[in-house]
Amino acid sequence: MESDLSWEQNTLINELIQGMEVARKLKADLRMPYSVDSRDLLVQRILSSYEKALLILRCNASSTSELQAMSQATPTLLPESPLSVHGSPLREDVDGTIKDHQEVKHDSKKRKATPKWMDHVRVSCESGLEGPHEDSYNWRKYGQKDILGAKYPRSYYRCTFRNTQGCWATKQVQRSDEDPTVFDITYRGKHTCSQGNNAVLPPKSPEKQEKPTHSHNIDIHRAQASQESLTKFRNILSVNTDNLNNGDMAYPFTFPSTSFGCMKQDNHSLIPWALENESFLSDLYQTHLLSTTIPESNYFPSPTFQMNVFDGIYSKPHSESDINEIISTNTSATNSPIPDFNFSLDPVEIDPNFPFNTPGLFS
DNA sequence: GAAATTTGACCTAT
DNA sequence: ATAGGTCAAATTTC
């Protein structure tokens, strides 16, 4: 990657370029009288790029160096196992908070300290969604809270196997104010239960996973159907990996800002992206397939949906400071349990002549 | 009856 | 003092 630019600058450039490219595609698309779906897709991608860029700028004002360190220090850190850095003297206390063993406090109370990492994703269901789309984990809701300044309450979930297996993974789900079709989902803690330990997740218990209040044909995103789909998707990704030919495969990758979920409508979009794209964001994003439980299932009346998942950043587990900012977004189709993809699918065509390193570009 | 959800109360960080 | 996060009893669902 360009060494002359800072990490966030590269990220910002990439996002803006991506937005520009997609806008061009949209412009071209506007000449076509029939492709409404693809326009929606392109608009979504543009918005996603700008959103990422804004997030980066925000983070730049606060903890850029930390985030950069994170991204560089955790190239192999898997979403599924953010705590499992080899040899790292980390521990996770009973409430899921990760602590360096030197800074373990006496947490006599139940109240959680701010976790040292989280995985933040956004799920967009533009075309509507019925029913929960799952993230292959079993969650139990344990609370809901109205959040100041937010239109919608935040829901709190913990792993169903908390008691039986001592799994302290939690997640929070909150509907976006700006776009009610978007859910911000924050994962905290690591799954130590059997479902978290299995690379191939066990089938979900039928009583929980697919409450058949919604029956439709969401193909690849349906959490339950995702096992086969994920396998296929892995294969796709593997092809891309093999073709990438660069030495950065130890880095994480990102999925396109638009979704994987669009495959239903646009079966052509994913693979070409995967094959054409450079992995220029690969050192920025810890990416994973994602499908996420949307408990507020009634929000989405239409059977088709589209996920717009933003990848999460995992803080450097041994960082001494809390990093709770969520700085990057991404799209994919399953949650953290799919750990090891390290390349980008973003459909970006970078102009090789673009003067990224122009002095003063970011000054 | 067991498991999941709801919801008001409680706890703690800021 | 306040907001966010969690607990746990009550309620609902299966």
Side-chain angles (χ1 to χ4, degrees):
Chain A
M1 288 302 235
E2 301 89 347
S3 57
D4 293 334
L5 295 178
S6 71
W7 174 83
E8 73 279 5
Q9 286 173 345
N10 282 318
T11 308
L12 196 54
I13 288 171
N14 290 333
E15 288 303 331
L16 292 174
I17 290 172
Q18 182 171 347
M20 183 174 65
E21 289 297 326
V22 177
R24 285 177 183 166
K25 289 179 181 178
L26 177 60
K27 182 182 177 182
D29 195 71
L30 289 174
R31 299 179 185 135
M32 317 285 273
Y34 43 82
S35 53
V36 176
D37 284 349
S38 66
R39 287 176 193 170
D40 287 343
L41 177 61
L42 292 172
V43 168
Q44 185 187 1
R45 290 166 62 185
I46 294 167
L47 292 174
S48 176
S49 289
Y50 283 119
E51 189 169 354
K52 289 181 185 179
L54 287 171
L55 282 167
I56 291 162
L57 285 172
R58 288 175 193 154
C59 289
N60 189 26
S62 55
S63 56
T64 294
S65 59
E66 286 279 2
L67 294 168
Q68 181 174 6
M70 281 162 32
S71 71
Q72 293 172 348
T74 60
T76 60
L77 190 56
L78 304 181
E80 173 207 354
S81 54
L83 307 177
S84 59
V85 175
H86 311 294
S88 175
L90 296 173
R91 63 180 288 275
E92 182 176 11
D93 67 10
V94 292
D95 55 21
T97 302
I98 301 164
K99 293 172 178 165
D100 185 291
H101 63 169
Q102 292 182 335
E103 59 180 356
V104 171
K105 300 173 187 177
H106 285 282
D107 284 345
S108 57
K109 304 299 180 182
K110 325 168 197 176
R111 183 58 183 269
K112 282 188 178 180
T114 304
K116 291 285 185 174
W117 74 276
M118 61 175 67
D119 172 15
H120 185 137
V121 302
R122 306 191 83 188
V123 178
S124 171
C125 304
E126 291 192 340
S127 303
L129 164 68
E130 285 184 70
H133 52 285
E134 302 289 344
D135 57 6
S136 299
Y137 288 118
N138 291 321
W139 300 100
R140 173 175 294 186
K141 188 174 184 178
Y142 66 87
Q144 178 171 307
K145 194 77 177 178
D146 289 326
I147 300 302
L148 192 69
K151 291 179 185 175
Y152 305 101
R154 178 178 299 165
S155 297
Y156 300 87
Y157 296 84
R158 64 186 175 212
C159 181
T160 299
F161 304 109
R162 182 173 191 166
N163 295 328
T164 57
Q165 298 183 32
C167 179
W168 291 88
T170 65
K171 76 172 180 181
Q172 299 176 1
V173 178
Q174 186 166 17
R175 198 174 191 180
S176 170
D177 285 346
E178 305 93 40
D179 185 354
T181 67
V182 172
F183 288 83
D184 290 322
I185 302 175
T186 302
Y187 292 89
R188 292 181 176 178
K190 155 195 174 183
H191 277 278
T192 57
C193 57
S194 57
Q195 57 181 353
N197 291 332
N198 294 337
V200 175
L201 296 163
K204 315 207 63 162
S205 56
E207 73 277 10
K208 165 74 170 135
Q209 279 317 309
E210 292 294 326
K211 287 179 184 173
T213 50
H214 328 81
S215 60
H216 41 74
N217 295 322
I218 297 170
D219 43 12
I220 198 160
H221 296 297
R222 296 294 298 175
Q224 187 124 43
S226 61
Q227 204 57 251
E228 179 183 3
S229 301
L230 290 176
T231 301
K232 293 176 181 176
F233 194 63
R234 278 177 190 265
N235 293 337
I236 293 170
L237 300 181
S238 296
V239 171
N240 191 24
T241 301
D242 293 339
N243 290 341
L244 275 176
N245 235 7
N246 61 36
D248 293 334
M249 296 318 295
Y251 290 98
F253 81 109
T254 181
F255 278 123
S257 302
T258 43
S259 56
F260 186 28
C262 297
M263 290 176 73
K264 179 167 184 154
Q265 299 173 357
D266 183 5
N267 287 331
H268 309 295
S269 57
L270 175 65
I271 295 178
W273 293 353
L275 295 178
E276 78 183 3
N277 186 32
E278 298 287 337
S279 60
F280 64 89
L281 287 177
S282 63
D283 57 340
L284 304 178
Y285 298 123
Q286 185 82 26
T287 306
H288 44 279
L289 293 169
L290 175 89
S291 79
T292 321
T293 299
I294 299 297
E296 295 83 352
S297 55
N298 293 333
Y299 291 155
F300 307 104
S302 163
T304 58
F305 78 94
Q306 182 174 34
M307 295 181 77
N308 182 12
V309 176
F310 295 69
D311 57 344
I313 282 266
Y314 299 88
S315 65
K316 182 174 57 179
H318 35 289
S319 168
E320 293 185 358
S321 62
D322 291 339
I323 301 173
N324 295 317
E325 294 294 328
I326 305 306
I327 63 166
S328 63
T329 58
N330 178 25
T331 301
S332 60
T334 183
N335 179 29
S336 322
I338 307 302
D340 46 0
F341 304 108
N342 289 316
F343 55 91
S344 171
L345 290 177
D346 280 68
V348 177
E349 298 153 2
I350 304 175
D351 181 354
N353 298 320
F354 188 85
F356 292 121
N357 296 330
T358 301
L361 181 62
F362 285 92
S363 58

